Amino acid sequence: MRHARALIATILLTLPGLVLADVKGPGGKTIDCYCTDKSGSRVELGELRCLQVDGRMFMAQCQMSLNVPMWREVQSSCLSASLGEMPGSSAVPPELPKI
């Protein structure tokens, strides 16, 4: 639960920065700043992704470092969800109604 709260706080803190993600170059020309995922798709600054590097999976955020977009690790593991059993529920599926 604590990790989820930290992640939500991180997302909310980066939202204002998304509007200012592009950089103005010489002559006022706008330069798009973004990261790419493994398929080459554009990922906006501030967005989070689960990355797998050298057999390790972690949450990373697209950020700027020395005027270069890069992935920065923000959590040592990835968020996941499962459809496991709820406490107090039966492992036997309920009987389906007959039609």
Side-chain angles (χ1 to χ4, degrees), residues 62-88:
C62 177
Q63 297 181 358
M64 292 293 290
S65 177
L66 299 173
N67 294 328
V68 177
M70 49 80 75
W71 289 103
R72 176 165 287 142
E73 182 176 342
V74 293
Q75 188 173 327
S76 61
S77 61
C78 291
L79 298 174
S80 65
S82 66
L83 296 174
E85 265 186 63
M86 296 286 291

Side-chain angles (χ1 to χ4, degrees), residues 2-4 6-7 10 48-53 55-61 72-80:
R2 193 172 79 192
H3 293 292
L7 180 61
T10 301
L48 297 168
R49 293 286 193 275
C50 177
L51 299 184
Q52 182 174 4
V53 178
R56 195 171 78 86
M57 295 180 76
F58 56 92
M59 291 298 293
Q61 183 179 41
R72 176 165 287 142
E73 182 176 342
V74 293
Q75 188 173 327
S76 61
S77 61
C78 291
L79 298 174
S80 65

Side-chain angles (χ1 to χ4, degrees), residues 4-72:
R5 288 184 187 152
L7 180 61
I8 291 169
T10 301
I11 291 170
L12 293 177
L13 290 173
T14 59
L15 288 177
L18 292 176
V19 176
L20 306 173
D22 295 333
V23 174
K24 296 285 185 185
K29 182 178 177 185
T30 300
I31 302 169
D32 282 341
C33 296
Y34 58 91
C35 296
T36 54
D37 61 15
K38 67 180 179 180
S39 68
S41 298
R42 180 179 174 134
V43 178
E44 299 298 330
L45 291 173
E47 287 189 39
L48 297 168
R49 293 286 193 275
C50 177
L51 299 184
Q52 182 174 4
V53 178
D54 293 332
R56 195 171 78 86
M57 295 180 76
F58 56 92
M59 291 298 293
Q61 183 179 41
C62 177
Q63 297 181 358
M64 292 293 290
S65 177
L66 299 173
N67 294 328
V68 177
M70 49 80 75
W71 289 103
R72 176 165 287 142

